[in-house]
Amino acid sequence: MTTGGTVAGVLLAAGDSDRFGERDKLLATLDGEPLVRHAARTLAGADIGPVAAVVDPGSSGVRDALAGLDIAVVENYEAAAGQATSVRRGVAWARERADAVVFALGDMPRVHAETVDRVVGAYRDGRESALAAGYEERRGNPVLFDARHFDALAALEGDTGGRGVFEAADDAAVVETGDTGVRVDVDTPGDLDGLR
């Protein structure tokens, strides 16, 4: 396992908003900014290497919401087929640039950049090859995967993320962060109201 190399960040921001209603939830505002911008700023502000956002090319609003941030945009033309397609796109982008990747979710606006740093720090200390941010011993997001898991992530299909890969890793662990945001995502308008 390489622990001294580059860790890239990938923001998964191409999902649908079925439970949110007609609006794209990633563009719903919190504290005056779109949810996706909050999540993107977390990765951009962390002490990691290059960062990319995987977006649905049909959602120009998400791309616009990321303007001005030091984040590459990776289009996922298969976004409608499920989250696995975005994970695959993210891995393909990261594979050429990093020894590990941190995946964050565009609908989790309350994660702190320091939380990403804590997970990455645990990885660089030579601990596990799959690490998830946790709060009160419960697994949350973001999640870091060493390059040894890239092939498994690239093989995912359907509307699933990296959970199965994480659970299959023989050295996966949860890093306690003290950050309640790692367990807070926005699926419905009520979820958003609860953050205001």
Side-chain angles (χ1 to χ4, degrees):
M1 178 170 58
T2 301
T3 56
T6 301
V7 177
V10 170
L11 182 69
L12 300 178
D16 58 36
S17 304
D18 289 347
R19 292 162 56 191
F20 200 79
E22 296 297 315
R23 295 185 297 158
D24 184 337
K25 69 177 176 182
L26 297 181
L27 299 178
T29 57
L30 177 66
D31 302 333
E33 290 187 328
L35 291 180
V36 70
R37 189 170 179 87
H38 286 278
R41 200 168 45 242
T42 294
L43 281 182
D47 185 20
I48 58 177
V51 177
V54 179
V55 305
D56 183 336
S59 179
S60 61
V62 170
R63 184 189 292 269
D64 292 345
L66 301 175
L69 296 174
D70 187 17
I71 295 178
V73 173
V74 176
E75 294 183 328
N76 177 12
Y77 289 90
E78 299 178 290
Q83 191 180 59
T85 63
S86 289
V87 172
R88 293 200 308 262
R89 291 287 290 139
V91 167
W93 175 85
R95 192 185 291 271
E96 302 171 2
R97 296 167 174 83
D99 303 293
V101 62
V102 176
F103 283 100
L105 303 180
D107 64 355
M108 296 186 71
R110 292 299 197 209
V111 178
H112 300 294
E114 295 79 13
T115 293
V116 177
D117 291 342
R118 186 166 293 187
V119 173
V120 172
Y123 171 72
R124 288 187 170 142
D125 284 344
R127 286 173 53 185
E128 295 77 3
S129 67
L131 294 161
Y135 178 71
E136 294 185 343
E137 300 182 6
R138 296 182 67 197
R139 186 179 70 223
N141 284 288
V143 180
L144 179 150
F145 293 98
D146 178 76
R148 72 187 240 193
H149 300 292
F150 284 3
D151 287 346
L153 291 165
L156 291 172
E157 296 196 9
D159 194 22
T160 182
R163 176 179 294 185
V165 176
F166 181 87
E167 292 174 346
D170 57 8
D171 64 346
V174 174
V175 177
E176 179 57 46
T177 65
D179 182 354
T180 59
V182 305
R183 299 277 308 160
V184 178
D185 63 344
V186 175
D187 289 325
T188 68
D191 293 338
L192 181 58
D193 290 341
L195 294 178
R196 290 181 168 141

